[in-house]
Amino acid sequence: LVEEARAAGVTRFLTIATQHKEFADTLEFSQQQQGVFCTYGIHPHHAGEEGLSDLELSKEIEQAAAEPEVIGLGETGLDYHYNHAPKVAQQHSFELHLKMAQQVGLPVVVHTREAEEDTMRLIDRALKRGPLTLVLHCFTGSSTLADFAVERGIFFGLGGVLTFKKSDALRAIAARIPENLILLETDSPYLAPIPCRGKPNRPAWLTHIATCLANVRDMSTGEIARITTENFERAFPKGGE
Ligand SMILES: [Zn+2]
């Protein structure tokens, strides 16, 4: 999959940790592959489920952050659509990740679904403490959340949903946000873009998302590729050259 994506012009990869127990494999894969980086974090679906205390999770984050391949924290955030973990546990875990990100100086990949108000509240609480780089991954939020992010210089991860027929509102947001805040992502194996919709997503299909975004913003696909690569390096400085 990585070779196929490289051949399609994808040069940087970020593979996302969602559970503590899977992190060793994620890290090992990043260490073996040129241009593949990873994050460490507990997805809101799994918040609290592995029984790590705050102290243990903080130590795990510190250790992970020392690895050259670990260039961010996450996924963390809030998912009130599925509520696989109780809201209180999700909020607690999200706050801990934000606090630790500020301590170790790494950006945070944020998952938010049907939880915009609490997401904005907890992000603002963290930003009051000090600076923090954030990515709203697979952005499918409202105009309110988009404005919130733009005002705070938060990055937008745009994925396959951008290409879906019913995504006019999302395309309108993608057309108007500043270009220096845009990142491309696949969320593989989920959310395959049109014309591959319904299949397991692959990193090479990032090109379909880039082409769609180029049309939406009236730019060339090459410009989109250049801008989003530069943005990746600003959002994740450890993943730069
Ligand atoms: Zn997510």
Side-chain angles (χ1 to χ4, degrees), residues 16 43-45 75-76 79 109-112 137-138 185 187:
I16 298 292
H43 193 283
H45 289 346
E75 277 185 48
T76 179
D79 193 315
V109 177
V110 176
H111 170 111
T112 177
H137 112 86
C138 253
E185 64 171 293
D187 206 28

